[in-house]
Amino acid sequence: MRSAHTVEQVRAAEAERMAALPDGALMAAAAHGLARAVSAFLGGTYGRRVTLLVGSGDNGGDALHAGAMLARGGAAVEAWLLSARPHAAGLAALRRAGGRVVGSGEVPADLPAHRRPDVVVDGVVGIGGRPGLRDDAQAALAVLAGVPVVAVDVPSGVEVDTGRTPGPHVRADLTVTFGTLKPAHLLDPASAACGAVELVDLGLALPPAPVEALGAADVAGLLPVPGGSDHKYTRGVVGVRAGSAQYPGAGLLSVAGAACGLAGMVRYVGDAEVADRVREAHPEVVGDGRVQAWVVGSGGGSGAGEELAAALADGVPVLVDADALTHLRGADRSAGSPLVLTPHAGEAAALLDVPRADVEAAMLEHARRAAAELDAVVLLKGRRTVVAEPRGRVRVNTTGTPWLGTAGAGDVLGGLVGALLAAGLEPFDAASVGAWLHGAAAVLASAGGPLVAGQVAAALPAAVRGALGRDLP
C-alpha cells in the first residue's frame, strides 16, 4: 500500500525524527537521496550542467546541499537564488564545492546555448508553500523552458494536500520526495505535474494516511479466491440491470465485466432483445433470480429509474452507473442497500450541481463531498480514479493507460465491481480493487497501443492471475 500523508502529518513526524538525530542529519539524508536521483536521471554526474532554482527554507536547502554533492562529483552547478533568504548552510556547502551562485537580482533574462543546463532542480517552494508561483520564479522557468526538471519534494506551485493546481506551477519530469508520498503525488491534476515519483526513506514514524493507493500485493490480499468447497452460489451471484434497445452494447459490456470469473454466477435482467444477445455472447449467464449484488444503469435509458428502484428494493449492494445516477436523489433506499456510485466528472458535476471544470480541478474534494452527501462509496473516474467512502477515507488508482479512455470501458468497470460486491468484498474494497484490475487489464490488452472495451473485459482473468502472482493458467 502506498500511503500519502498531509503536510501536518509529515511536519510532526519530521520533528519527532529530528529530535532523535544530530542537527542537520535529516536534511543530509534528503539531500543525498536527491543527489543520487539527479545523477541517475542524468546517467552520470561528471561534465553535466545543473541549474538549481532556490527559494527560501528547507526545500531550497535540500537543493543546495544536493547541488554541492553533484558539484563534488564533477558537475557544473549553478544556483539561481529566488529569495533574499536562502538556506545559509546549504549555500555555504555549494560554494565550498565550487558551485556558482547567481543572486536574486542577477537571474538572466536569456540564456545562450552553451550555458543551458542538462537539468533544472526545482527547489523553489516546498510542501509548506502556498500554491502558485511568484513572477520571478515564472520568469526563471521561462528562461529554462525545454530543460528537464527534477522537483524537490513536490513541483513548486501545486497544492500539496488536495492535488489542486489553482495557479502557475512547475511541471516536472521527476519528483524526488522524502519520508512519504503526499496527496499531490497521487491526485490529479497535481500528479500529472509530478512526472515519475521517487521516494527517499527518512525513517519517519507516520500515522495512518488519509489517501492511499493499492499495489498488486494489496489487491492479491483482498481478492476473493475460492476454496476447495466453494461452488457457484457460495462464490456470489451478481445481477445486471443494464442496456436497452437504444444502447444494447452497454448491457453486453456490463455483463462482460461481471462475467470475469470473480463471482460464481451472473444473472441478466433487462430488454428481451438485449437478453438474447447476452445469452449468445455469454451462454453461462442466466435470467432473473436471487443475487448478492446488482449492477444498474449503463445504457439503461428511460428505464434506468425503474431498474434502480427494483435493485434497491432487494437490500443487497448496488453498483449505480450512468443513466441510473440521475435517478439516485429521492430514490427509496429504505431497504438499506449499500451503494457504489461510478460517475465520471460530468456525472459527478450533475449530482453535486457544480460545473464539470470544478470537479476536474478538485477530484478529492468532490469525491469526498459526493460520498458524504449521498452516503455511498463514490468511484470518481478519471486518469487517476478517486474512490471515497462517506467517512472520508480515500484510495487513488494508479493503474491504467490513456488508451483506456474509450467507449464502454466504464460499463466493463461497473460489471467488474458488481462481481466483487457479490463475492463479498466491502463496497470500498470492491471499488478500489475493481479500479486497479480494470486499469491493469487495460495495460495488458493495450500492449502499448489502442484497445476497445471488450478487450479490457477479456483481459481481466489475466490481470487477476498477475495480481495473484500466477502467470500460468
Side-chain angles (χ1 to χ4, degrees):
M1 185 87 69
R2 287 184 291 170
S3 300
H5 292 82
T6 65
V7 172
E8 182 179 358
Q9 289 176 316
V10 172
R11 290 296 193 220
E14 286 177 342
E16 182 180 353
R17 183 70 173 143
M18 283 189 289
L21 294 172
D23 286 347
L26 203 64
M27 180 171 284
H32 274 287
L34 175 60
R36 286 195 301 270
V38 172
S39 180
F41 182 82
L42 292 170
T45 303
Y46 187 80
R48 302 290 188 169
R49 299 186 65 87
V50 179
T51 295
L52 314 175
L53 298 183
V54 181
S56 60
D58 289 349
N59 189 258
D62 293 335
L64 289 165
H65 278 294
M69 297 171 196
L70 294 167
R72 290 195 294 270
V77 180
E78 185 170 274
W80 294 7
L81 304 184
L82 302 179
S83 168
R85 300 183 304 277
H87 191 275
L91 191 60
L94 179 65
R95 283 182 164 140
R96 286 195 301 271
R100 184 171 182 267
V101 177
V102 176
S104 56
E106 305 170 284
V107 172
D110 195 12
L111 205 60
H114 71 276
R115 283 192 59 196
R116 289 185 71 76
D118 297 298
V119 70
V120 173
V121 176
D122 161 32
V124 181
V125 181
I127 63 173
R130 295 178 180 176
L133 292 173
R134 293 187 335 201
D135 290 346
D136 57 350
Q138 293 183 61
L141 288 163
V143 171
L144 296 162
V147 179
V149 177
V150 175
V152 181
D153 221 355
V154 291
S156 293
V158 306
E159 196 166 271
V160 178
D161 283 349
T162 69
R164 295 176 65 244
T165 55
H169 60 279
V170 168
R171 297 192 68 87
D173 298 272
L174 170 68
T175 296
V176 182
T177 194
F178 311 114
T180 179
L181 296 180
K182 288 77 184 178
H185 298 129
L186 297 177
L187 291 159
D188 273 345
S191 67
C194 292
V197 178
E198 183 171 330
L199 176 62
V200 176
D201 184 17
L202 297 180
L204 303 182
L206 291 155
V211 178
E212 301 169 332
L214 297 181
D218 306 306
V219 171
L222 291 168
L223 276 169
V225 177
S229 61
D230 275 314
H231 51 78
K232 63 186 177 184
Y233 294 115
T234 61
R235 294 187 58 212
V237 180
V238 56
V240 177
R241 293 177 177 270
S244 60
Q246 188 177 3
Y247 303 109
L252 285 164
L253 290 168
S254 296
V255 168
C260 61
L262 288 171
M265 181 186 289
V266 180
R267 297 184 183 276
Y268 179 78
V269 179
D271 180 86
E273 185 177 335
V274 178
D276 289 340
R277 295 178 62 174
V278 165
R279 282 191 292 269
E280 183 178 347
H282 302 279
E284 71 278 10
V285 175
V286 298
D288 199 2
R290 186 176 178 182
V291 301
Q292 279 71 57
W294 283 108
V295 176
V296 183
S298 297
S302 60
E306 294 178 7
E307 298 292 357
L308 176 62
L312 292 175
D314 263 2
V316 299
V318 180
L319 182 292
V320 186
D321 188 28
D323 294 326
L325 290 168
T326 64
H327 299 277
L328 188 60
R329 288 195 183 271
D332 181 1
R333 296 177 59 181
S334 60
S337 296
L339 300 186
V340 176
L341 316 182
T342 56
H344 55 58
E347 291 163 338
L351 282 170
L352 297 171
D353 195 23
V354 298
R356 178 176 182 142
D358 288 3
V359 175
E360 292 173 332
M363 297 281 281
L364 175 65
E365 173 190 340
H366 289 92
R368 277 180 168 157
R369 179 184 159 193
E373 287 188 11
L374 296 165
D375 191 25
V377 168
V378 173
L379 185 158
L380 179 54
K381 293 180 283 194
R383 187 189 78 96
R384 288 286 175 89
T385 288
V386 178
V387 180
E389 65 172 2
R391 291 171 295 177
R393 189 179 177 196
V394 169
R395 286 180 182 151
V396 181
N397 185 58
T398 59
T399 62
T401 166
W403 295 109
L404 188 51
T406 186
D411 304 333
V412 173
L413 173 61
L416 167 60
V417 175
L420 290 164
L421 288 168
L425 266 64
E426 293 298 316
F428 186 61
D429 289 336
S432 45
V433 169
W436 192 97
L437 288 172
H438 188 247
V443 171
L444 290 173
S446 168
L451 78 164
V452 295
Q455 292 173 299
V456 178
L460 287 171
V464 172
R465 287 197 299 273
L468 293 172
R470 300 169 186 170
D471 293 329
L472 297 176

